[in-house]
Amino acid sequence: MNVLTVKFKNESKLPDSDVSIGFVPGGTNAFNLSYSAGKDILPLNKTKENGNWYKLEELQDGVQIENFSGRIYVSYGETWTVLKDGYEPAQNITDLNFFLRYDKMELTFNGKATDVADLTSIDYWSIPMKLETSYKNTSVQTDLGNKKGVISSQIYNALNILTTPPKSGQPNAKPALVPGTFKQNTDQPGSGFARIIGPSSYPPIGGVPVIPYNLFNDYLTFLNENFGKNPIANPIVIEGLGNGIIATISGHFNGVGPNVPSSGPKSAQDYNLKASIDTDLNVTLKGKIGSTETTMKFTKASLISPIGIYGANAAFSLNKGSEENPANDVYGWITGDLLAGFNIGAIGSTTEINKEKVGAMNSSDWFSKVPNTKLFSNLQNKATNYNQYAAALQPLSDAYNFAYSDRFSAVQISLNPATVDELQISFFNVETLL
């Protein structure tokens, strides 16, 4: 049986007694972890209570994992309580744990060659971490929450400026920064620091807190003005685009394994669809998935919702049916192509890679032909035409900055038991930033 040892290194300048660790499983996946001579680790959030947190002092020898897929949370000071069975904190001022300081990393380990770990700042940025793997005491791989030479204040400043002042144009929007010391529901929350919330973590438009990030309305308008059915004078010209067409969503879906079905939406198949925009800024994909003519429609409201382009989870209607969310199938993969294109600014881009305009490429070529260093502002002249949060994080951190970061760069590190037997998680930066 393969076992992964996970160790924790405190670089925060806090005493170990003020650092807590918790383990949150993903769904019904196997949960088999132990520490300190065979004592079982319990899931942090299984039942409503204070939560099964472990002080760092208890985990000096690390944790032994046989099976675990989920998140490892690090909390500084007061820990979040479990408000209901299976709970994780919401990025919402109505959540009783909203102003506490915590962060997370993600891993899957079941003793398989495909096992991986990663850092993520998609939901929010709070506690920089570092992942280091080793095998028989020899270093294998490193994943940096702060890239070499980058200090936390640089990341803080780069993210803070994106919402200060708020850019969404929504009434009552406030900067994404969350103070830590607070009185609930007041405008004087104190001087501590908890998190900077990522754009995809906000509730639907009209909810509280109100999203302060730039919405993708300007990008959709730009595409309609240049490639719509009634373009502006002297529009941008890209071969194959225009008269409503804004992109070609084309490639191959490998299917859902390990036992890939021979037919259906989880089977391996090619896809080739044209993305078009209408005057209401809805986007429709139409073409073939496998040998079947298919239509997928994304409304403007679905796209500019925080969980839409930002969250890479925009709802769509399939063949004029009712709206549904992307799933782990060919429709979800195709949705990923489209939304990744919006996030990085590939759709409607005139930037040339090897003499080919990115906007003219098939969507699958964005992931294979466009270098990771050529995304975002390298693809679009206007900052409103890409995910500014992801763009700010990319040069500063190896963590996921939006949901499809892994299509463009290696943001995961391997936990293949043939080459890795230990993972060390280091955490940093406890200084007050405000």
Side-chain angles (χ1 to χ4, degrees), residues 130-133 139-144 148 398 410 412-413:
K130 177 172 69 174
L131 306 181
E132 299 172 276
T133 56
S139 177
V140 177
Q141 248 181 309
T142 301
D143 193 18
L144 297 170
K148 290 182 180 179
D398 290 338
Q412 298 177 332
I413 59 173

Side-chain angles (χ1 to χ4, degrees), residues 156-202:
Y156 174 90
N157 291 332
L159 296 179
N160 188 36
I161 198 172
L162 301 179
T163 60
T164 309
K167 306 295 194 297
S168 67
Q170 301 296 298
N172 301 316
K174 296 180 180 180
L177 181 146
V178 181
T181 305
F182 74 104
K183 291 183 178 179
Q184 190 81 30
N185 297 325
T186 75
D187 291 327
Q188 303 296 325
S191 60
F193 173 72
R195 254 166 350 276
I196 291 180
I197 305 175
S200 63
S201 291
Y202 281 84

Side-chain angles (χ1 to χ4, degrees), residues 68-294:
F68 176 66
S69 181
R71 295 169 171 173
I72 298 179
Y73 276 87
V74 177
S75 182
Y76 288 170
E78 183 182 350
T79 56
W80 50 265
T81 55
V82 180
L83 303 183
K84 60 182 179 180
D85 295 358
Y87 161 90
E88 288 183 73
Q91 306 311 304
N92 192 313
I93 58 173
T94 61
D95 190 299
L96 297 179
N97 299 302
F98 182 59
F99 292 94
L100 302 179
R101 191 158 191 211
Y102 55 81
D103 214 320
K104 61 185 182 295
M105 57 79 61
E106 302 170 328
L107 69 82
T108 293
F109 183 82
N110 293 299
K112 297 180 179 179
T114 54
D115 292 339
V116 293
D118 66 76
L119 298 172
T120 175
S121 294
I122 297 173
D123 300 320
Y124 47 82
W125 177 82
S126 178
I127 300 173
M129 300 185 197
K130 177 172 69 174
L131 306 181
E132 299 172 276
T133 56
S134 59
Y135 185 67
K136 297 181 178 179
N137 298 317
T138 299
S139 177
V140 177
Q141 248 181 309
T142 301
D143 193 18
L144 297 170
N146 286 13
K147 288 188 176 180
K148 290 182 180 179
V150 174
I151 59 176
S152 295
S153 59
Q154 287 177 260
I155 299 178
Y156 174 90
N157 291 332
L159 296 179
N160 188 36
I161 198 172
L162 301 179
T163 60
T164 309
K167 306 295 194 297
S168 67
Q170 301 296 298
N172 301 316
K174 296 180 180 180
L177 181 146
V178 181
T181 305
F182 74 104
K183 291 183 178 179
Q184 190 81 30
N185 297 325
T186 75
D187 291 327
Q188 303 296 325
S191 60
F193 173 72
R195 254 166 350 276
I196 291 180
I197 305 175
S200 63
S201 291
Y202 281 84
I205 292 173
V208 178
V210 179
I211 183 170
Y213 289 93
N214 165 67
L215 300 179
F216 280 92
N217 183 74
D218 287 347
Y219 193 2
L220 293 170
T221 299
F222 161 83
L223 293 170
N224 182 51
E225 287 179 344
N226 285 278
F227 308 108
K229 293 195 179 249
N230 297 294
I232 58 174
N234 301 313
I236 292 171
V237 176
I238 297 178
E239 185 178 357
L241 305 187
N243 195 29
I245 303 299
I246 59 172
T248 299
I249 306 301
S250 181
H252 180 76
F253 175 60
N254 290 328
V256 180
N259 299 312
V260 178
S262 59
S263 62
K266 293 182 181 292
S267 64
Q269 53 198 297
D270 294 330
Y271 55 92
N272 187 8
L273 307 101
K274 294 294 183 181
S276 62
I277 194 165
D278 62 28
T279 54
D280 292 324
L281 307 185
N282 306 310
V283 173
T284 300
L285 307 186
K286 191 171 184 178
K288 285 190 175 182
I289 301 178
S291 59
T292 304
E293 288 289 340
T294 305

Side-chain angles (χ1 to χ4, degrees), residues 35-82:
Y35 74 109
S36 186
K39 295 180 183 177
D40 287 339
I41 290 283
L42 299 175
L44 167 59
N45 64 341
K46 185 175 182 180
T47 55
K48 179 181 177 180
E49 55 185 10
N50 289 332
N52 294 307
W53 289 97
Y54 296 86
K55 292 293 185 183
L56 190 57
E57 298 167 310
E58 301 176 74
L59 304 180
Q60 293 300 313
D61 295 327
V63 174
Q64 287 68 52
I65 298 180
E66 293 182 17
N67 301 98
F68 176 66
S69 181
R71 295 169 171 173
I72 298 179
Y73 276 87
V74 177
S75 182
Y76 288 170
E78 183 182 350
T79 56
W80 50 265
T81 55
V82 180

Side-chain angles (χ1 to χ4, degrees), residues 354-417:
N354 294 325
K355 299 182 179 180
E356 182 180 10
K357 289 182 179 179
V358 172
M361 293 178 179
N362 289 339
S363 58
S364 55
D365 289 337
W366 299 333
F367 315 124
S368 61
K369 293 183 178 181
V370 182
N372 190 40
T373 56
K374 295 294 185 182
L375 310 180
F376 308 119
S377 62
N378 295 293
L379 296 180
Q380 294 287 345
N381 294 325
K382 295 182 179 179
T384 53
N385 290 3
Y386 55 83
N387 182 334
Q388 296 175 40
Y389 181 86
L393 280 169
Q394 186 199 37
L396 303 175
S397 172
D398 290 338
Y400 268 91
N401 51 59
F402 80 102
Y404 294 108
S405 298
D406 55 350
R407 292 204 185 185
F408 300 93
S409 59
V411 292
Q412 298 177 332
I413 59 173
S414 173
L415 298 180
N416 181 354

